[in-house]
Amino acid sequence: MARPTLKDVADRVGVSAKTVSNVVNGTGWVTAELRERVQVALVEVGYRPNAAARQLRSGRSGMIALAVPELSQPYFAELAASLVREAQGRMITVLVNQTDGLADVERKISEGIGATAVDGIILSPLALSASDLEGRRDGTPLVLLGEHIGTSTFPHVTVDNTAAAKAATQHLLSIGCRRIAAIGAQDHGPNETALLRLAGYRAALEEAGIPVDESLILPVDGFHRADGARAARTILSSGLRPDGIFAFNDLLALGAMHALAAAGVGVPDDVAVIGFDDIEEGQYSTPTLSSVSPNTGELVATAIDLLLAQPPEPGMHTVGFTITHRASTKGPAQ
Amino acid sequence: MARPTLKDVADRVGVSAKTVSNVVNGTGWVTAELRERVQVALVEVGYRPNAAARQLRSGRSGMIALAVPELSQPYFAELAASLVREAQGRMITVLVNQTDGLADVERKISEGIGATAVDGIILSPLALSASDLEGRRDGTPLVLLGEHIGTSTFPHVTVDNTAAAKAATQHLLSIGCRRIAAIGAQDHGPNETALLRLAGYRAALEEAGIPVDESLILPVDGFHRADGARAARTILSSGLRPDGIFAFNDLLALGAMHALAAAGVGVPDDVAVIGFDDIEEGQYSTPTLSSVSPNTGELVATAIDLLLAQPPEPGMHTVGFTITHRASTKGPAQ
DNA sequence: CGTGTGTCGTTCAACGTTGAACGAGAGGAC
DNA sequence: GTCCTCTCGTTCAACGTTGAACGACACACG
């Protein structure tokens, strides 16, 4: 009844447990005839290797952990889906955690996932800053998603947020927008992504010779649809009259579009909207949403490569992006 | 440099490894004074228990696996988010897998997650039927999400799909709809969820004395937005002229609404739409989407309870649902 | 005939932890 | 003084696996 072990198989064939181990792992020397017999016995008893014993002996678990703020956010869900798929292809299983963007949860995770040992940790931090990781003692490889200002001893993978934000803003400029609002600035909290995207927005305007109107930069509490809707309502009620909106992620953009539609403001006719992340939902919204499309496949593959890289390669690794052009930015110019 | 073990801590304090183990786990007898000294040493060396050794010894891993068709589908992402949160509260970590709805992947997962031992498996099957699980040898507890026709030796947790579908259809009837289309039937493949929801749809119509028009039942290949859009275009091009649509999940509904909007058909004025799952996206679509809201929190809590229940309690366990009423079903009657 | 070289399989020990069994000493009861 | 109980801590073995080291046997070469 108990789960069969190597020894059970070995006794049945009349060899040593180690020989069965060799057959299972393809190590050592085993004659074809014997290997055949062992393999038959393996399926007969339904042998399955004991992961715990294997890990205890080898030090490797075949698992990596992913920690994101919230899995229910489509961008993180799609990221997780992509990572799990990539990992499955490499015979690695993924353990998922949620941090809710809380700094102490993020720090705790960076120091190990509960009691479970993993071969590496991929962390998408919201609140954690570089200094929080200085005191880290756990030796588990760690890869961070997203940029961080300041040097860090850990590898980072990210799209070039500033360049991408700049390109998104330039796309709005290219269709004739001149009063472009930015939704997603964050006054408090060290959300560096927001800072970097804001920098890209500013850079695009400056390069185009358009003065930055600070009142067009709208702060948000979070990056959810409700925050975008709230920001759009602020825009409407304060008479700012922008002709374009760059939202720092797609959820903000979708929330904003929802509020605009409710107020009878037409997108893209009255105001063009572009988001960031290119989540699937944006292909089916009304109107469909233009967005910055980070190369997620490259992102997750790079993250795993870096996690398993020996020796570790600290530093920033950027992946590509494209601007996906949909109905929400079909301006008068087209 | 190597990770400290119980023995390292023990040597430092001058006691046996077992005593340190007792302090860590609160077992056995240790004087307050000695416990204090051990605890100081524990933090000094930064001891972290070795999960593999613990699991090898105790047989428990503190991990459960969740397998869903696709994590990128909002319903499953929200389900996973809810499950991870519930599990974290119980000091359990969750390992996530994707099956792509393929029967052989689902079967493989039901027989163990790769090489990794877990304390239990929660599987949301698409293609797998009860008979596929007969030959299961692995003793890991298994809980299935979703209903299955026919008896099964495993616990199931689900909303009552037929009752919920009936309620959704009745909601459309209550606002005056009389020609109600159903999007989501599946001709081939054993998607029992689709069958059950279709049965609820039929039951509601029959009870209202409305003959079922088979041409209003639209089959789909999958449950994505694109399938819903395709079905809506079929409706438009074939001149079926329904006044209500019950889509078997929210993605189908959102895809359908998108196609309707593109064709200039007004929702809810020309046709009312209701979905199933109540994903967050439906609160921000244009118009907002009415839907069946399964009690996901109860669902995941029940699933974990059943997974850990000793002895196992096979059979069907249903959780509640409500009909959430939004703009897409604000009919002329309101 | 000794000395390599290659093939095939074995035994041994160890990974870090914890249940079981076993003292050792103190205190009380008879 | 003997027996019992209670407290506090120890030693031992085992969970299932695999790297390292070690035969044993066959064949070829000088």
Side-chain angles (χ1 to χ4, degrees):
Chain A
M1 200 56 221
R3 193 163 166 158
T5 73
L6 284 180
K7 179 142 197 332
D8 297 330
V9 179
D11 289 349
R12 177 176 256 260
V13 182
V15 294
S16 74
K18 177 68 207 195
T19 298
V20 181
S21 169
N22 284 335
V23 171
V24 171
N25 299 300
T27 52
W29 296 110
V30 186
T31 50
E33 185 268 342
L34 180 54
R35 173 165 45 239
E36 181 66 27
R37 276 168 52 216
V38 170
Q39 268 159 349
V40 168
L42 281 171
V43 306
E44 273 177 0
V45 307
Y47 172 76
R48 299 186 59 75
N50 179 317
R54 217 173 230 191
Q55 180 184 351
L56 179 59
R57 187 70 182 104
S58 68
R60 303 215 153 277
S61 67
M63 297 187 302
I64 62 177
L66 170 69
V68 296
E70 284 178 86
L71 205 50
S72 57
Q73 285 187 43
Y75 172 68
F76 291 117
E78 291 177 16
L79 180 75
S82 183
L83 180 70
V84 169
R85 194 173 308 286
E86 175 78 22
Q88 279 180 344
R90 306 191 193 199
M91 304 294 284
I92 294 171
T93 45
V94 177
L95 214 141
V96 175
N97 286 73
Q98 292 182 123
T99 63
D100 293 315
L102 301 172
D104 55 342
V105 178
E106 292 179 350
R107 192 177 316 110
K108 201 169 293 173
I109 283 186
S110 80
E111 286 167 1
I113 306 295
T116 313
V118 292
D119 293 343
I121 300 169
I122 296 177
L123 172 64
S124 177
L126 258 189
L128 213 61
S129 59
S131 62
D132 285 314
L133 292 170
E134 306 249 311
R136 203 176 104 100
R137 299 168 120 186
D138 191 275
T140 311
L142 176 69
V143 169
L144 297 166
L145 301 185
E147 286 174 79
H148 266 262
I149 299 166
T151 54
S152 159
T153 46
F154 301 100
H156 288 241
V157 193
T158 180
V159 337
D160 185 335
N161 276 299
T162 305
K166 186 174 169 187
T169 310
Q170 285 171 333
H171 173 58
L172 290 174
L173 290 167
S174 76
I175 61 168
C177 299
R178 285 302 171 266
R179 282 184 59 73
I180 301 176
I183 298 182
Q186 295 208 300
D187 297 332
H188 43 276
N191 184 329
E192 305 188 352
T193 301
L195 287 174
L196 294 161
R197 293 186 185 170
L198 185 58
Y201 162 83
R202 288 182 190 278
L205 292 185
E206 276 163 24
E207 203 168 277
I210 298 179
V212 175
D213 179 349
E214 298 294 334
S215 64
L216 283 174
I217 298 175
L218 288 114
V220 295
D221 288 333
F223 269 50
H224 293 81
R225 295 180 185 84
D227 301 299
R230 207 153 24 231
R233 276 183 231 111
T234 304
I235 288 176
L236 292 168
S237 65
S238 54
L240 289 167
R241 296 251 147 230
D243 54 9
I245 293 176
F246 169 37
F248 287 4
N249 81 353
D250 281 358
L251 288 187
L252 289 171
L254 291 164
M257 290 209 305
H258 179 67
L260 293 173
V265 176
V267 175
D269 297 329
D270 297 324
V271 52
V273 176
I274 189 167
F276 201 115
D277 289 343
D278 192 20
I279 63 177
E280 199 185 329
E281 182 177 344
Q283 300 170 35
Y284 291 87
S285 58
T286 308
T288 56
L289 178 64
S290 297
S291 193
V292 175
S293 314
N295 190 335
T296 307
E298 189 187 346
L299 183 78
V300 300
T302 306
I304 298 183
D305 286 341
L306 289 171
L307 205 58
L308 305 182
Q310 212 48 263
E313 308 170 23
M316 191 74 74
H317 302 255
T318 59
V319 301
F321 66 88
T322 55
I323 301 291
T324 299
H325 194 170
R326 297 205 185 88
S328 70
T329 57
K330 283 248 182 327
Q334 333 297 94
Chain B
M1 202 55 223
R3 191 163 167 158
T5 73
L6 285 179
K7 179 145 198 335
D8 296 330
V9 179
D11 289 348
R12 177 177 257 259
V13 182
V15 296
S16 73
K18 177 68 205 191
T19 298
V20 180
S21 168
N22 284 336
V23 171
V24 171
N25 299 300
T27 52
W29 294 109
V30 186
T31 51
E33 186 268 343
L34 180 52
R35 173 164 46 240
E36 181 67 27
R37 276 169 50 216
V38 170
Q39 268 159 350
V40 168
L42 282 170
V43 305
E44 274 178 2
V45 307
Y47 171 77
R48 299 186 60 76
N50 179 316
R54 217 173 227 189
Q55 180 183 350
L56 179 60
R57 186 65 200 156
S58 68
R60 302 216 153 277
S61 67
M63 297 187 301
I64 62 177
L66 170 70
V68 296
E70 284 178 85
L71 206 50
S72 58
Q73 285 188 42
Y75 172 68
F76 292 117
E78 292 177 15
L79 180 74
S82 183
L83 180 70
V84 169
R85 194 173 309 286
E86 176 76 24
Q88 280 180 343
R90 305 191 192 199
M91 304 294 283
I92 295 171
T93 46
V94 177
L95 215 140
V96 175
N97 285 75
Q98 292 183 125
T99 64
D100 292 316
L102 300 173
D104 55 343
V105 178
E106 291 180 349
R107 193 176 316 109
K108 202 169 291 173
I109 283 186
S110 80
E111 286 167 2
I113 305 296
T116 313
V118 293
D119 293 344
I121 301 170
I122 297 178
L123 172 62
S124 176
L126 258 190
L128 214 60
S129 59
S131 62
D132 285 313
L133 292 171
E134 306 249 311
R136 204 175 103 100
R137 299 169 121 188
D138 193 276
T140 311
L142 176 69
V143 168
L144 298 167
L145 301 184
E147 286 174 78
H148 266 261
I149 298 167
T151 54
S152 161
T153 47
F154 300 100
H156 288 241
V157 192
T158 180
V159 319
D160 184 336
N161 276 298
T162 304
K166 186 175 170 187
T169 309
Q170 285 171 333
H171 173 58
L172 289 175
L173 290 167
S174 77
I175 61 168
C177 299
R178 285 301 171 266
R179 281 185 59 72
I180 301 176
I183 297 181
Q186 295 208 300
D187 297 333
H188 43 277
N191 185 329
E192 306 188 352
T193 300
L195 287 174
L196 294 161
R197 293 186 186 171
L198 185 57
Y201 162 82
R202 287 182 191 278
L205 291 185
E206 276 161 26
E207 202 166 281
I210 297 179
V212 175
D213 178 349
E214 296 295 332
S215 64
L216 282 174
I217 298 175
L218 288 116
V220 296
D221 288 334
F223 269 50
H224 293 83
R225 296 179 185 84
D227 301 298
R230 205 150 29 228
R233 276 184 230 112
T234 304
I235 288 176
L236 293 169
S237 65
S238 55
L240 289 167
R241 295 250 149 232
D243 54 10
I245 294 177
F246 169 36
F248 288 3
N249 83 352
D250 281 357
L251 287 188
L252 289 172
L254 291 164
M257 289 208 305
H258 179 68
L260 293 173
V265 176
V267 175
D269 297 330
D270 298 324
V271 52
V273 177
I274 189 168
F276 201 115
D277 288 344
D278 192 20
I279 64 177
E280 198 185 331
E281 181 178 344
Q283 300 170 34
Y284 291 88
S285 58
T286 308
T288 56
L289 178 64
S290 297
S291 193
V292 175
S293 315
N295 190 334
T296 306
E298 189 187 346
L299 183 79
V300 301
T302 307
I304 299 183
D305 286 341
L306 289 172
L307 204 60
L308 305 182
Q310 212 48 263
E313 308 170 23
M316 190 75 73
H317 302 254
T318 58
V319 300
F321 65 88
T322 55
I323 302 290
T324 299
H325 195 172
R326 297 206 186 89
S328 69
T329 55
K330 282 247 182 326
Q334 332 300 97

